Amino acid sequence: MIVLHHCLSARSFRPLWMLEELGVPYDLKVLPFPPRVLSRSFLEINPLGTVPALFDGAVRMTESAAICQYLAARFSPRKLDVATDEPEFGAYLNFLHFGEATLTFPLTLVLRYRHFEPPERRVPQVADDYAKWFLARLRTLEPLLSSQAFLCAQRFTAADVSVGYALLAAQHLGLDERFTPAVQDYWQRLQQRDGFRRALRAQHEAAVAQQVSTVPAPDTR
């Protein structure tokens, strides 16, 4: 049984969404955010104190995009995964990591300097600059998504989960109103997926059952 340690709508939503898309059984452990402060025992599981932390037998992983790649390759070859001999294998890897390294990173600074720092340490200019940084890089997807439904390989893949999570985090910050038209349409398509909806429901139900706040709090590591 795969075990996923998760905070509501944090980066760990990526592997949760993947698991629901794949239909793979898992045990979801929901933690209060931030776990390194509010659930100190979690440091024994992941010394970084961050989510996700996924265990699959002897396998232990803590990077959300890498977990998406692992789950796709293991449980969905040539479906949610893109094989090395497919023409768009390189594009697949690029978008998979673009979702985290290029899109999610600036959002963590928006969260930190607009919401999570004490009032005297908040820096609106930094938050505004990184919001613009995010939106500028997101706009690079507009021409591509104007001509195709998903990012690569003519199908929904783990790369869409990776980028889709960045759009979810941006929505929590109110930035979705500034998405370009094709990106907005893409985001609406992703939200209509049964796997996405099941993941939202699963995290809510698990949080209620485990007596954790159901207010989303994206990770700012």
Side-chain angles (χ1 to χ4, degrees):
M1 176 71 73
I2 288 174
V3 177
L4 174 63
H5 297 266
H6 171 58
C7 293
L8 266 70
S9 295
R11 283 175 166 96
S12 48
F13 188 80
R14 284 189 178 113
L16 175 58
W17 184 0
M18 283 292 299
L19 289 164
E20 287 293 344
E21 290 281 352
L22 294 165
V24 174
Y26 62 91
D27 182 15
L28 186 63
K29 307 290 188 183
V30 180
L31 301 164
F33 182 86
R36 59 182 171 270
V37 175
L38 299 179
S39 185
R40 299 288 295 176
S41 61
F42 180 62
L43 294 172
E44 299 175 10
I45 295 170
N46 180 13
L48 292 174
T50 60
V51 291
L54 179 138
F55 295 85
D56 182 16
V59 174
R60 172 188 174 276
M61 301 183 73
T62 60
E63 292 296 328
S64 63
I67 293 170
C68 289
Q69 185 175 351
Y70 169 81
L71 293 172
R74 182 169 180 205
F75 296 106
S76 186
R78 295 185 182 273
K79 294 180 182 177
L80 296 189
D81 181 44
V82 177
T84 58
D85 60 351
E86 292 186 74
E88 295 202 50
F89 173 65
Y92 166 68
L93 293 181
N94 200 64
F95 285 123
L96 182 70
H97 296 284
F98 176 84
E100 171 61 20
T102 299
L103 293 182
T104 305
F105 166 72
L107 295 178
T108 65
L109 295 174
V110 177
L111 280 162
R112 177 175 179 178
Y113 289 106
R114 185 172 290 164
H115 298 287
F116 287 169
E117 287 286 350
E120 68 275 10
R121 288 180 50 84
R122 293 179 186 176
V123 187
Q125 185 65 57
V126 170
D128 290 344
D129 287 348
Y130 276 94
K132 292 175 183 177
W133 194 100
F134 165 81
L135 290 164
R137 280 146 183 81
L138 183 61
R139 282 195 293 272
T140 64
L141 298 179
E142 181 70 12
L144 177 72
L145 293 172
S146 294
S147 62
Q148 60 192 56
F150 300 111
L151 293 172
C152 61
Q154 303 303 309
R155 63 182 185 268
F156 177 85
T157 70
D160 295 292
V161 170
S162 179
V163 169
Y165 169 71
L167 301 183
L168 175 65
Q171 180 173 277
H172 284 312
L173 291 168
L175 296 176
D176 55 314
E177 296 177 355
R178 297 162 68 182
F179 291 174
T180 53
V183 171
Q184 185 65 256
D185 289 345
Y186 170 67
W187 175 224
Q188 294 303 316
R189 283 195 297 279
L190 295 183
Q191 292 178 87
Q192 295 304 310
R193 293 190 64 84
D194 289 342
F196 178 85
R197 291 179 171 185
R198 286 195 301 269
L200 289 177
R201 186 165 57 250
Q203 70 171 4
H204 179 82
E205 291 175 353
V208 170
Q210 296 170 37
Q211 299 183 326
V212 175
S213 171
T214 57
V215 176
D219 192 355
T220 59
R221 64 178 170 168

